[in-house]
């Protein structure tokens, strides 16, 4: 397969998230014409559908790769489901941006997600996902999430393939979602060149080609250790047993070998992202491109059908997130710009509170009557 030339890297701080009216929108329109063939059967029955952005086009992602994403790419993920057997179809619509994705790919994913949302009559709950900061809803769609280096422009590898030279390092971690009954596991490839910081509570796998090393930090869970062992076993099986497996537990004899191999330091814990502060609710007023945020009471009575509301749940200790809620009587312009409102709010929050505020946390657009349980939980 011929490799495409890589465009400029996307900067997550770009506030023009939907890129409506931009050159990217025009190029997407030119490519797809008046309609997007990929959407013809999208959302017609319960299940998961994934597409990758390839040179301004939307291409179906093979089902055998569902749950695997490459940091050089952007993807669109649609989850179609019924709340009860006789309920109408509901939709979770995500666009996922890899850390190394290009401006063109990110812009195309954002624009085409709005297009698919329109195709589904504006009914989906829409999420912007950034690699490493995925929402609990996104993680719940997969038995485990795997994010790897590479992509459409640079080529991509399978985890079962040994590194052509050098080594690859993977981090296995678990996150829990209140009320969902199980932890979500993520396997992420991380750079192994230079100084590596190992986070307490995670499990690491070092792929050296003919050797596979597993390193369990002291506070890693049994589930993480088990998943890492299964991950190692799958690679060993793919290589027909032609590699040696070593398992190291932090603090035991020989564990220094793993850290010495990487020149790694060990941190006690993941840097704190949230402080557990209560969520805040704001009414949005769009006046000549200025969007003031007026505080309102965090209660059900504030959910008025003519309003656009923003719920700041950034300091949620489980999963930081920003919601924009659209009343049933709001117009199409507000619906199309919902995630831009959220991103603008995050930029202002960062400017006011400091650079520890991350603009990469999930942004969610929801419509009245289709609120996810995580949103309603903030109202008690």
């Amino acid at each position: 397969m011929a490799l495409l030339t890589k465009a400029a890297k996307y900067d997550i701080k770009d506030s023009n998230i939907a890129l409506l009216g931009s050159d990217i929108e025009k190029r997407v329109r030119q490519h797809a014409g008046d309609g997007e063939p990929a959407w013809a059967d999208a959302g017609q029955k319960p299940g998961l559908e994934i597409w990758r952005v390839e040179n301004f086009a939307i291409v179906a992602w093979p089902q055998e790769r569902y749950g695997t994403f490459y940091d050089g790419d952007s993807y669109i993920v649609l989850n179609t489901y019924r709340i009860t057997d006789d309920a109408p179809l509901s939709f979770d619509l995500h666009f996922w941006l890899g850390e190394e994705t290009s401006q063109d790919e990110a812009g195309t994913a954002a624009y085409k997600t709005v297009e698919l949302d329109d195709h589904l009559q504006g009914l989906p709950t829409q999420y912007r996902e950034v690699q490493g900061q995925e929402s609990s809803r996104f993680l719940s769609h997969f038995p485990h999430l795997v994010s790897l280096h590479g992509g459409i422009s640079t080529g991509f590898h399978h985890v079962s393939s040994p590194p052509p030279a050098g080594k690859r390092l993977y981090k296995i971690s678990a996150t829990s979602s209140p009320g969902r009954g199980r932890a979500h596991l993520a396997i992420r490839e991380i750079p192994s060149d230079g100084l590596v910081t190992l986070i307490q509570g995670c499990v690491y796998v070092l792929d050296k080609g003919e050797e596979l090393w597993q390193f369990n930090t002291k506070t890693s869970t049994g589930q993480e250790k088990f998943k890492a062992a299964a991950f190692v076993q799958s690679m060993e099986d793919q290589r027909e047993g032609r590699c040696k497996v070593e398992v190291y537990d932090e603090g035991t004899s020989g564990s220094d070998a793993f850290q010495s191999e990487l020149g790694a330091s060990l941190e006690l814990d993941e840097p704190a992202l949230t402080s557990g502060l209560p969520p805040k609710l704001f009414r949005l007023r769009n006046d000549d491109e200025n969007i003031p945020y007026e505080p309102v009471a965090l209660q059900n009575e504030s959910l008025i059908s003519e309003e656009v509301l923003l719920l700041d749940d950034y300091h949620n200790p489980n999963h930081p997130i920003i919601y924009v809620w659209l009343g049933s009587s709001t117009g199409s312009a507000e619906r199309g710009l919902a995630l831009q409102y959220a991103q603008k709010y995050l930029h202002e929050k960062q400017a006011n509170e400091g650079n520890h505020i991350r603009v990469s946390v999930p942004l969610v657009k929801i419509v009245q009557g289709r609120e996810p349980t995580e949103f309603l939980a903030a109202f008690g």
Side-chain angles (χ1 to χ4, degrees):
M1 181 182 69
L3 300 183
L4 303 179
T5 302
K6 188 67 173 178
K9 181 179 175 181
Y10 176 67
D11 183 357
I12 194 61
K13 296 182 176 62
D14 183 358
S15 61
N16 187 21
I17 189 171
L19 298 157
L20 301 179
S22 68
D23 289 340
I24 288 178
E25 178 189 5
K26 295 173 185 175
R27 293 179 70 178
V28 171
R29 285 184 180 277
Q30 288 172 356
H31 180 90
D34 294 330
E36 174 52 68
W39 306 154
D41 298 318
Q44 297 300 303
K45 59 183 180 181
L48 200 63
E49 298 169 88
I50 303 178
W51 301 267
R52 181 170 68 167
V53 175
E54 298 184 10
N55 195 25
F56 296 96
I58 301 301
V59 179
W61 192 234
Q63 288 194 5
E64 63 269 21
R65 294 187 191 164
Y66 278 17
T68 297
F69 300 88
Y70 290 86
D71 63 6
D73 293 330
S74 293
Y75 300 79
I76 296 173
V77 176
L78 176 66
N79 177 49
T80 304
Y81 65 98
R82 299 183 192 275
I83 297 175
T84 61
D85 290 342
D86 56 352
L89 292 173
S90 294
F91 310 96
D92 298 319
L93 177 57
H94 311 255
F95 66 98
W96 185 92
L97 307 178
E99 292 177 342
E100 301 296 325
T101 194
S102 70
Q103 293 177 2
D104 289 347
E105 290 164 346
T108 301
Y111 173 79
K112 300 301 282 188
T113 299
V114 173
E115 186 181 79
L116 179 53
D117 187 281
D118 290 341
H119 179 74
L120 297 172
Q121 288 80 52
L123 297 177
T125 298
Q126 187 184 138
Y127 299 75
R128 184 212 65 182
E129 312 280 358
V130 175
Q131 181 181 357
Q133 298 291 325
E134 295 89 355
S135 68
S136 60
R137 190 73 172 185
F138 183 82
L139 294 172
S140 72
H141 300 324
F142 309 102
H144 57 267
L145 177 76
V146 180
S147 59
L148 304 174
H149 289 325
I152 184 64
S153 67
T154 60
F156 52 86
H157 64 272
H158 298 281
V159 295
S160 58
S161 303
K167 49 188 176 284
R168 295 193 184 109
L169 180 65
Y170 302 93
K171 180 178 77 171
I172 292 88
S173 59
T175 59
S176 61
S177 297
R180 291 198 176 272
R182 64 182 176 90
H184 308 307
L185 287 157
I187 300 170
R188 304 185 190 277
E189 184 178 355
I190 59 177
S192 60
D193 52 342
L195 181 65
V196 177
T197 298
L198 305 181
I199 305 299
Q200 187 64 262
C202 298
V203 176
Y204 293 85
V205 172
L206 182 64
D207 181 0
K208 300 175 63 180
E210 295 183 353
E211 296 181 60
L212 297 169
W213 291 7
Q214 176 177 333
F215 181 79
N216 305 321
T217 61
K218 282 184 179 178
T219 59
S220 56
T221 66
Q223 188 175 29
E224 288 164 332
K225 295 174 185 177
F226 175 81
K227 192 63 191 179
F231 178 57
V232 169
Q233 184 65 53
S234 68
M235 287 194 287
E236 185 183 18
D237 291 344
Q238 289 286 336
R239 299 173 194 179
E240 300 178 344
R242 292 192 298 269
C243 51
K244 180 181 179 182
V245 175
E246 297 282 357
V247 179
Y248 300 101
D249 293 303
E250 181 193 349
T252 61
S253 175
S255 64
D256 289 345
F258 187 94
Q259 291 178 253
S260 297
E261 180 74 17
L262 296 173
S265 59
L266 188 64
E267 286 196 356
L268 292 178
D269 211 345
E270 189 87 41
L273 175 63
T274 62
S275 59
L277 295 175
K280 298 178 182 178
L281 189 65
F282 300 89
R283 178 184 295 116
L284 271 63
R285 299 295 189 196
N286 192 358
D287 181 17
D288 295 329
E289 298 185 356
N290 292 316
I291 308 174
Y293 307 96
E294 177 187 348
V296 295
L298 185 60
Q299 57 188 23
N300 290 330
E301 290 74 14
S302 296
L303 301 176
I304 301 171
S305 60
E306 294 79 18
E307 301 285 9
V308 177
L309 302 174
L310 184 144
L311 179 67
D312 178 353
D313 202 10
Y314 181 93
H315 297 286
N316 185 315
N318 296 302
H319 292 282
I321 199 163
I322 304 292
Y323 298 94
V324 174
W325 180 92
L326 299 156
S328 57
S329 298
T330 54
S332 58
E334 287 87 352
R335 293 170 183 263
L337 295 172
L339 295 187
Q340 284 182 268
Y341 294 155
Q343 180 112 341
K344 180 177 174 64
Y345 173 83
L346 261 181
H347 278 254
E348 294 185 7
K349 184 179 181 73
Q350 185 185 68
N352 293 329
E353 299 182 26
N355 287 332
H356 66 280
I357 298 296
R358 301 184 187 181
V359 296
S360 56
V361 300
L363 308 179
V364 186
K365 182 221 78 174
I366 55 181
V367 296
Q368 186 175 15
R370 290 177 174 262
E371 296 87 350
T373 55
E374 296 91 341
F375 175 85
L376 296 175
F379 292 79

